[in-house]
Amino acid sequence: MAPVARFRSVVVDCPEPRELARFYAQVGGGNPEEQDPDWVVLQVPGGPRLSFQRAPGLTPPEWPRADRNAQQFHLDFDGGATWEDMDAAHEKVLALGARPLDLEDREKKDFMVYADPAGHPFCLCRIEHA
């Protein structure tokens, strides 16, 4: 089936676009490009284009709520193939300003959930590489 349109980017609303783009550049790679103070673009190497748009007064999602102010999307990152890799990635995202949301039963789930500095959920996933 022919597409109607070509995918361009995921846009993330946030209070401080420059700061959140820098956070995700440190997590997933790339160099943020500030288009203006209200719009920053990050091309993740081998991945999507993330754009960060200023949204003053943004109320972050309440994870894992579905009844009010629910998350509307989240980003998944490959945290490594082993739990040692995941533990190292865990320490690094915490040092960058992430906050844990769900670390329980990680061996059953193969992922851990965090909030970025603006409060958006994202996951580090244990991916067995072929």
Side-chain angles (χ1 to χ4, degrees):
M1 175 175 13
V4 172
R6 197 175 87 218
F7 176 78
R8 178 162 171 78
S9 62
V10 173
V11 179
V12 180
D13 290 347
C14 58
E16 298 295 334
R18 182 184 306 139
E19 291 176 23
L20 198 57
R22 274 189 249 159
F23 172 82
Y24 280 110
Q26 292 175 319
V27 172
N31 295 307
E33 296 179 20
E34 188 171 326
Q35 308 291 312
D36 65 51
D38 295 330
W39 186 265
V40 179
V41 174
L42 173 65
Q43 178 62 56
V44 177
R49 174 183 146 142
L50 299 176
S51 298
F52 302 89
Q53 173 177 269
R54 186 175 309 281
L58 175 79
T59 301
E62 294 180 42
W63 190 89
R65 294 189 74 114
D67 58 343
R68 69 179 168 90
N69 201 29
Q71 74 172 343
Q72 296 175 4
F73 73 95
H74 72 270
L75 302 173
D76 284 347
F77 290 89
D78 181 345
T82 67
W83 283 111
E84 292 79 19
D85 295 339
M86 290 285 287
D87 289 340
H90 166 82
E91 293 302 324
K92 289 176 183 174
V93 298
L94 292 180
L96 295 171
R99 143 179 89 79
L101 294 177
D102 183 1
L103 306 180
E104 296 178 22
D105 300 324
R106 68 186 200 159
E107 285 81 9
K108 291 180 190 174
K109 298 177 186 176
D110 280 343
F111 64 88
M112 296 183 289
V113 185
Y114 302 85
D116 68 24
H120 301 98
F122 73 95
C123 295
L124 289 178
C125 304
R126 189 174 68 86
I127 308 293
E128 293 186 24
H129 304 147

